[in-house]
Amino acid sequence: VVACVGGGSNAIGVFAPFAYLPELERPRLYGVEAAGEGVDTGRHAASVSGGQIGVLHGSKMYLLFDENGQIVPAHSISAGLDYPGIGPEHSYYAKAHLATYVPVGDVEALEAFQTFTRMEGIIPALETAHAIAFVNSLAPTMPKDQIIVVNLSGRGDKDLNTLMQVSGL
């Protein structure tokens, strides 16, 4: 089961029914974070992959913050994933190894957006394009009889202005 993760509401809705199944019955759960320009650049929104545990809005979670404890700006081409933290339930899933959180960058998400739109005739949200990009690398590593479920979190028509700016149109 694959879903994009910003603050986490989209992914937690699809993960929750599976997270506490016995390990042998539980599908692998993947939360795809926005790596923006790269986790190592500091211009990303990948709180689990590139952040640390802290407190924001009264909740203990993985966050992006500096050495003084100040929240640092998150970056992603997707406004829906551009958040400096991940919810406390996802933070628990990550620490307890109930789900795996992986970063996907802007470039990979844009490529997946274009390919998915062309091949499926569906305009996914840029958030979802991050999950689709991860699936493009995950699927070839799996046996052909396994099933991948991707949570499509929204429509991409809301992202057309961003896509036009990035494309220079």
Side-chain angles (χ1 to χ4, degrees):
V1 178
V2 180
C4 60
V5 180
S9 60
N10 149 68
I12 212 66
V14 73
F15 288 0
F18 304 108
Y20 298 106
L21 290 175
E23 190 171 351
L24 293 176
E25 296 175 28
R26 183 174 56 236
R28 289 178 296 182
L29 306 174
Y30 293 97
V32 183
E33 300 186 288
E37 295 175 11
V39 174
D40 58 335
T41 69
R43 289 190 41 80
H44 64 86
S47 303
V48 175
S49 303
Q52 51 193 324
I53 296 290
V55 176
L56 179 65
H57 307 306
S59 295
K60 186 175 179 182
M61 63 181 86
Y62 281 97
L63 290 170
L64 303 177
F65 60 91
D66 66 19
E67 63 278 352
N68 298 312
Q70 298 300 307
I71 301 300
V72 297
H75 168 76
S76 171
I77 190 147
S78 169
L81 299 181
D82 198 359
Y83 185 70
I86 190 169
E89 194 164 4
H90 281 293
S91 295
Y92 173 73
Y93 283 15
K95 269 192 104 64
H97 304 287
L98 295 173
T100 302
Y101 294 83
V102 296
V104 167
D106 290 347
V107 171
E108 296 83 7
L110 286 169
E111 289 171 2
F113 175 92
Q114 292 169 351
T115 301
F116 192 76
T117 301
R118 208 172 15 261
M119 293 182 74
E120 298 297 330
I122 298 170
I123 302 172
L126 280 173
E127 295 90 343
T128 297
H130 285 74
I132 294 166
F134 174 68
V135 167
N136 289 340
S137 63
L138 175 66
T141 70
M142 295 173 58
K144 292 186 184 280
D145 65 339
Q146 286 191 322
I147 296 169
I148 299 173
V149 175
V150 181
N151 197 42
L152 299 182
S153 61
R155 302 181 348 221
D157 57 330
K158 67 176 180 49
D159 296 316
L160 292 178
N161 285 338
T162 300
L163 292 160
M164 288 171 48
Q165 288 174 349
V166 170
S167 302
L169 300 174

